[in-house]
Amino acid sequence: MSKAFDRTLSIVFLAVGTAFAYGSLSISSSAYGSHVGPNIFPLGLGILLMLISLRLFYETLKYPAASKGDGHGKKLDYKRFLVILASMIGYIMLLEEIGYVISTFIFLMIGFQTMERGKWLYSVIISAGFSIGVYYVYVELLQGTLPGLPSWLGL
């Protein structure tokens, strides 16, 4: 990427992370006396995003001197971007309808195959493992809620 793009993006991510962390402070903490409430996870993600964006900004300071155009000769791949964007919008729209596990599996499969065609077995294993694993950990172990499997499956 270009130095200007990375620097601008790091500032945008810093602002988003700050807003995310600030917004998480308005979420109520646990009512049962637990030290870990529903506000801890978004707060941690906001802080992590802020730290990563600061790291990206720092890395842009070490970029070599800008050449003509500062784009390093790489052409932007709009087709892949639009496929990922469309699949993300579809993921958001279908999450409640078909459930977390199925929609996440489909979204990850599209993403993996968009970024690198082939390797279907690896894509299936990683997509299924991630969707089922996160669902199990979050719903069963942490007792959170995610959209389950659709009722038309009969499970």
Side-chain angles (χ1 to χ4, degrees):
M1 290 287 164
S2 71
K3 181 177 185 176
F5 179 79
D6 285 351
R7 190 169 285 172
T8 303
L9 198 60
S10 70
I11 293 169
V12 169
F13 283 151
L14 180 64
V16 169
T18 303
F20 208 76
Y22 180 74
S24 72
L25 297 176
S26 66
I27 299 173
S28 66
S29 58
S30 179
Y32 301 109
S34 173
H35 295 290
V36 179
N39 61 342
I40 296 298
F41 188 65
L43 177 65
L45 287 178
I47 291 170
L48 183 64
L49 184 59
M50 290 186 314
L51 292 173
I52 291 172
S53 66
L54 289 173
R55 174 63 189 231
L56 177 60
F57 188 82
Y58 172 73
E59 290 294 324
T60 62
L61 299 176
K62 298 191 310 186
Y63 280 4
S67 61
K68 190 174 185 179
D70 196 32
H72 302 290
K74 293 183 182 177
K75 186 177 177 184
L76 297 178
D77 192 353
Y78 291 108
K79 183 179 176 184
R80 284 185 182 181
F81 172 76
L82 291 175
V83 168
I84 297 290
L85 180 65
S87 65
M88 181 177 54
I89 291 169
Y91 175 70
I92 292 167
M93 292 173 58
L94 292 174
L95 184 62
E96 291 289 329
E97 300 297 322
I98 62 175
Y100 174 82
V101 174
I102 296 172
S103 60
T104 302
F105 174 80
I106 293 169
F107 173 71
L108 289 175
M109 282 295 295
I110 292 170
F112 290 149
Q113 291 304 306
T114 300
M115 298 310 292
E116 186 175 349
R117 292 223 180 262
K119 298 187 178 183
W120 282 94
L121 183 61
Y122 290 118
S123 296
V124 168
I125 291 171
I126 293 170
S127 298
F130 181 83
S131 358
I132 294 169
V134 167
Y135 186 84
Y136 175 77
V137 168
Y138 190 76
V139 172
E140 299 297 326
L141 299 180
L142 299 176
Q143 298 179 350
T145 57
L146 286 173
L149 294 172
S151 59
W152 48 264
L153 280 178
L155 299 174

